[in-house]
């Protein structure tokens, strides 16, 4: 089925203009539009390394015992991917919607901090945030400046000789209590974060805007399904496939960076009327 883009944009704006409680749900497609590699894709990080090996403490220790070259390679790739990423026009449009008082919250599967950097303030991150650390001693969470963290990671990746756990730890930001911290991202085998809050938000929404998600990653993919169960209309923006939108919903086959600014423009026109 071919969707008529202007018509779909118009319908989305119409629905949003009448909505009482809009919740946003975003996935990897949104990050990809900012140049962040989708690690699950062919050739991506998780295609070349076994995530169950890399994404666990045991796996990291085993790589370190081999000298740490694989860890350096992974860190280099993460730095390259996240280092140049900036909020795209889609992120900025979502921040604009918040300024217009039109959205309740953002729920994201992405760990790139770009929704916060764009200006959204109520953000639930089910897979954590790479730029937030968690103290292993006092459990306190704290944000680390993007450039500061990337600099520290580059230092780890560039060092010569075998990489040691001490070598990594001394470059990782310390908590104010002096405790060792770790990135507050959900590793393989760990529970997702803020899922109860996200489902609560979904239940409170009458419209959910779903952007760039394949719906393949559970339990995060439950969020739009829960919104629908609670009676919300879904507006799905996805350039490649329709995953969540049903008959009475709106599906926009387009990138978020293109569709969202058009929707905001349309909403502003409606407000002026
Ligand atoms: Zn602490």
């Amino acid at each position: 089925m071919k969707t008529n883009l202007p018509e779909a944009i118009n319908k989305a704006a119409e629905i949003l203009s009448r909505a009482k409680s809009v919740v946003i749900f975003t996935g990897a497609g949104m990050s990809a539009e900012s140049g962040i590699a989708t690690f699950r894709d062919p050739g991506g990080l998780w295609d070349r390394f076994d995530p169950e090996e890399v994404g666990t403490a045991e796996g990291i220790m085993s790589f370190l015992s081999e000298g740490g070259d694989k860890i350096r390679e992974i860190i280099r790739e993460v730095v390259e991917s996240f280092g140049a990423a900036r909020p795209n026009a889609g992120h900025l449009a979502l921040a604009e919607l918040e300024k217009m008082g039109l959205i309740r919250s953002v729920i994201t599967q992405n760990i790139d901090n770009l929704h916060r950097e764009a200006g959204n303030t109520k953000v639930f991150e089910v897979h954590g945030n790479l730029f937030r650390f968690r103290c292993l001693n006092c459990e306190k969470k704290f944000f680390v400046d993007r450039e500061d963290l990337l600099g520290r990671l580059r230092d780890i990746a560039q060092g010569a000789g075998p990489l040691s756990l001490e070598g990594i730890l001394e470059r990782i930001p310390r908590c104010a209590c002096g405790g060792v911290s770790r990135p507050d991202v959900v590793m393989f085998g760990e529970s997702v974060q803020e899922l109860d809050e996200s489902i609560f938000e979904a239940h409170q929404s009458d419209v959910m805007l779903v952007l760039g998600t394949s719906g393949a990653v559970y339990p995060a993919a439950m969020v739009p399904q829960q919104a629908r169960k609670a009676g919300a209309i879904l507006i799905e923006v996805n350039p490649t496939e329709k995953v969540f939108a049903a008959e009475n919903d709106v599906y926009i086959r387009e990138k978020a960076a293109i569709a969202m600014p058009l929707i905001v423009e349309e909403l502003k026109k409606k407000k002026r009327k």
Side-chain angles (χ1 to χ4, degrees):
M1 191 185 76
K2 201 173 177 298
T3 23
N4 181 327
L5 182 64
E7 201 180 286
I9 297 281
N10 213 341
K11 195 170 173 205
E14 182 67 43
I15 290 169
L16 287 169
S17 71
R18 282 183 280 123
K20 291 188 173 62
S21 179
V22 181
V23 172
I24 315 287
F25 181 71
T26 71
M30 192 97 201
S31 290
E33 289 178 35
S34 282
I36 294 171
T38 315
F39 294 150
R40 286 167 199 283
D41 284 349
L45 213 48
W46 298 153
D47 191 35
R48 285 174 293 132
F49 293 97
D50 180 357
E52 288 179 30
E53 207 181 353
V54 183
T56 62
E58 294 77 20
I60 290 169
M61 293 312 291
S62 127
F63 281 155
L64 281 175
S65 69
E66 293 166 11
D69 285 348
K70 281 182 187 166
I71 293 184
R72 285 200 169 107
E73 186 183 338
I74 291 163
I75 290 177
R76 263 196 297 277
E77 194 148 332
V78 168
V79 168
E80 204 176 295
S81 187
F82 286 83
R86 296 291 176 271
N88 65 55
H91 293 105
L92 297 173
L94 295 180
E96 177 97 31
L97 288 181
E98 182 174 322
K99 268 192 225 132
M100 291 162 75
L102 287 173
I103 62 175
R104 176 185 166 93
S105 59
V106 177
I107 302 165
T108 186
Q109 297 166 272
N110 302 331
I111 60 167
D112 53 31
N113 202 42
L114 293 178
H115 287 300
R116 294 180 193 276
E117 285 176 38
N120 283 112
T121 56
K122 198 173 172 194
V123 184
F124 297 95
E125 292 149 321
V126 288
H127 295 150
N129 184 325
L130 183 64
F131 298 92
R132 188 173 60 217
F133 276 67
R134 184 167 84 228
C135 177
L136 297 178
N137 179 42
C138 74
E139 296 284 310
K140 208 181 112 187
K141 295 184 176 194
F142 54 98
F143 282 92
V144 180
D145 174 75
R146 176 175 292 266
E147 291 311 317
D148 177 15
L149 179 62
L150 291 167
R152 290 166 184 268
L153 291 175
R154 274 188 204 103
D155 282 348
I156 297 172
Q158 280 161 5
L163 184 61
S164 66
L165 186 59
E166 293 71 35
I168 294 178
L169 291 181
E170 72 186 21
R171 286 179 179 85
I172 280 182
R174 286 265 165 166
C175 174
C177 82
V180 169
S181 69
R182 57 161 277 183
D184 192 27
V185 292
V186 175
M187 309 254 278
F188 282 81
E190 293 180 343
S191 312
V192 295
Q193 300 182 6
E194 303 185 316
L195 186 64
D196 290 347
E197 292 88 338
S198 299
I199 287 177
F200 178 77
E201 291 297 301
H203 287 166
Q204 297 300 310
S205 69
D206 63 349
V207 176
M208 180 169 276
L209 191 48
V210 183
L211 303 160
T213 173
S214 67
V217 183
Y218 273 84
M222 276 167 56
V223 173
Q225 291 163 354
Q226 288 294 318
R228 146 135 344 95
K229 254 191 193 163
I233 300 175
L234 304 189
I235 299 172
E236 179 176 9
V237 180
N238 186 324
T240 53
E241 55 177 343
K242 180 166 88 168
V243 183
F244 295 101
E247 203 173 322
N248 295 323
D249 298 327
V250 179
Y251 171 58
I252 301 173
R253 185 182 288 276
E254 189 48 272
K255 289 180 176 177
I258 292 174
M260 287 315 302
L262 293 173
I263 291 175
V264 169
E265 201 179 303
E266 219 31 63
L267 270 166
K268 284 182 173 167
K269 273 190 218 159
K270 287 186 196 301
K271 267 194 148 182
R272 278 196 294 268
K273 270 177 200 164

